[in-house]
Amino acid sequence: MDFQLVTGGPDTADHLVFTTTFTHNNIFYKAALAETISWEGLRTGTYDVLLQSARGTQRLTLIKDKDHWRTGGEVEQIGVIEQAVADVLGAAISEVRR
C-alpha cells in the first residue's frame, strides 16, 4: 500500500491528510483520508474518508475503538463498508502516523 501525504505551508501545524490505494478481495480502492478537526481547531481522533472503487464512492468516518477501527453511524455516511476495509484504512493511518 502506497500513500501520499498532503502538506500545508511552512510554520503551520499540519493535520494528517493523505491519499492511498489498495486492493481488497480483487477490488481496487482509492481513498482520501483527513484527520477530523473540531471547530475549535482540536483533533477529534476520527478521520473523514472518501473511498472510491468500481462499486462507487462512499463517504464515511473512521473511529478508533480501543485497538481497532470502525465506521461511524452518521446520517451523511454513504453506504456501508466491510470491517476488513475499515481495518486496511486503519492500518494505513497507523503507518502514515509513524
Side-chain angles (χ1 to χ4, degrees), residues 24-83:
H24 176 71
N25 286 341
N26 296 322
I27 299 171
F28 178 72
Y29 292 92
K30 297 184 289 184
L33 295 93
E35 187 173 24
T36 309
I37 307 301
S38 72
W39 286 105
E40 294 81 24
L42 304 173
R43 296 176 173 160
T44 65
T46 64
Y47 289 81
D48 288 323
V49 181
L50 186 63
L51 183 66
Q52 290 184 320
S53 71
R55 294 184 175 174
T57 301
Q58 298 170 303
R59 198 213 55 79
L60 55 116
T61 299
L62 280 179
I63 301 165
K64 190 161 188 176
D65 194 6
K66 296 182 182 155
D67 291 336
H68 75 280
W69 291 85
R70 65 176 178 82
T71 59
E74 68 275 4
V75 174
E76 298 86 15
Q77 186 160 307
I78 301 169
V80 177
I81 66 167
E82 297 176 43
Q83 181 59 48

